[in-house]
Amino acid sequence: MNKLYCEDLIRFSDAMSDSNRVIIISELMNGRALSASWLANRLNLSPQATRFHLKKLEDVELIEHRTCGKHRYYKIKNQETAMFIESTFKVIPPKDCLFLPNVKTNEKFKEARTCYKHLAGSWSVALTQSFINNGFIDIQNNFFEVTENGKNFFNEHKLLVNVSNTAFVGKRCIDFSEHRDHIGGPLGASLLQSMLQQEWFKQNDNNRELTITPKGRKKLKSIIN
């Protein structure tokens, strides 16, 4: 057996020898990107202790992080790593007692809210994934770019009307409640503004919550597939 392989196996075994790190890996295995603060709350640990465990997992290249605003979001490094971890879970599955209850947050807030100037929440994540699946936007590193098909689609639904070219580029922004990408930047701001003008959502004055209207729910369900 290759000595270097043995050393890697020992480092992996050491990294996975703590139940807190097993929980972190288990949480990340569904493809989400989670912030250190979210994980600290989930684990009921101090920020310092959580960062220690995250560094252990990064050192053996099981996870990596991406900075978004003031926060670091952690995810499984790549598909090959996820497949390797999955194979170890098949042999030694995590016990049910390792999983902690989900943090309860307001359902309406989780459904739709403003994130700076763009839409966030479950509706935003669903829209983003639908746009990707239908080829209306492409992923370019940390950005989304509207395709020619996307321009036609957005114009048809009056989602991008009389906007500058900068509105066709959006930043990949990780949704804190859904833990998946949604569209930020100029594209996200233009989309939200158009949806507000068409009264798909109503904006609450005193907080970030958005109220989806019957018209908006019908329109969104018709374009999300």
Side-chain angles (χ1 to χ4, degrees), residues 11-24:
R11 290 171 65 230
F12 169 78
S13 301
D14 177 60
M16 297 295 285
S17 65
D18 185 278
S19 61
N20 288 306
R21 294 195 283 275
V22 174
I23 293 172
I24 291 172

Side-chain angles (χ1 to χ4, degrees), residues 30-198:
N30 62 4
R32 297 182 298 177
L34 302 175
S35 68
S37 59
W38 191 95
L39 287 165
N41 190 45
R42 179 80 158 144
L43 297 167
N44 196 25
L45 292 176
S46 68
Q48 294 83 356
T50 304
R51 286 195 294 269
F52 168 80
H53 291 304
L54 289 167
K55 187 175 186 307
K56 275 273 191 180
L57 295 170
E58 277 198 297
D59 285 345
V60 295
E61 299 184 6
L62 291 177
I63 66 174
E64 62 184 12
H65 73 267
R66 178 159 63 96
T67 301
C68 189
K70 296 180 180 179
H71 301 282
R72 284 186 173 187
Y73 287 85
Y74 293 83
K75 66 181 185 67
I76 301 297
K77 186 174 181 180
N78 51 42
Q79 181 63 37
E80 289 74 20
T81 302
M83 291 173 63
F84 171 70
I85 295 170
E86 182 71 13
S87 68
T88 64
F89 281 179
K90 288 178 181 177
V91 178
I92 312 173
K95 301 296 183 183
D96 291 340
C97 63
L98 289 177
F99 296 94
L100 305 177
N102 283 319
V103 178
K104 292 182 179 179
T105 58
N106 183 281
E107 289 303 315
K108 185 178 178 183
F109 189 78
K110 289 172 63 178
E111 186 178 49
R113 63 185 179 275
T114 56
C115 179
Y116 297 101
K117 297 181 180 180
H118 58 267
L119 176 67
S122 57
W123 281 112
S124 181
V125 170
L127 272 174
T128 302
Q129 193 58 55
S130 179
F131 293 161
I132 294 170
N133 293 344
N134 286 287
F136 300 147
I137 57 175
D138 283 335
I139 298 175
Q140 301 291 340
N141 297 318
N142 288 325
F143 297 92
F144 294 113
E145 292 186 3
V146 177
T147 64
E148 288 302 316
N149 285 339
K151 290 178 183 179
N152 294 332
F153 172 84
F154 292 138
N155 285 330
E156 177 187 349
H157 292 276
K158 300 179 181 178
L159 288 173
L160 289 177
V161 181
N162 298 325
V163 295
S164 65
N165 288 334
T166 58
F168 295 122
V169 178
K171 186 177 180 181
R172 292 177 63 191
C173 187
I174 298 172
D175 192 279
F176 88 84
S177 59
E178 295 296 310
H179 311 293
R180 298 184 187 278
D181 280 342
H182 64 241
I183 304 169
L187 175 59
S190 296
L191 289 171
L192 177 57
Q193 191 61 36
S194 297
M195 288 186 280
L196 289 171
Q197 288 176 355
Q198 295 187 71

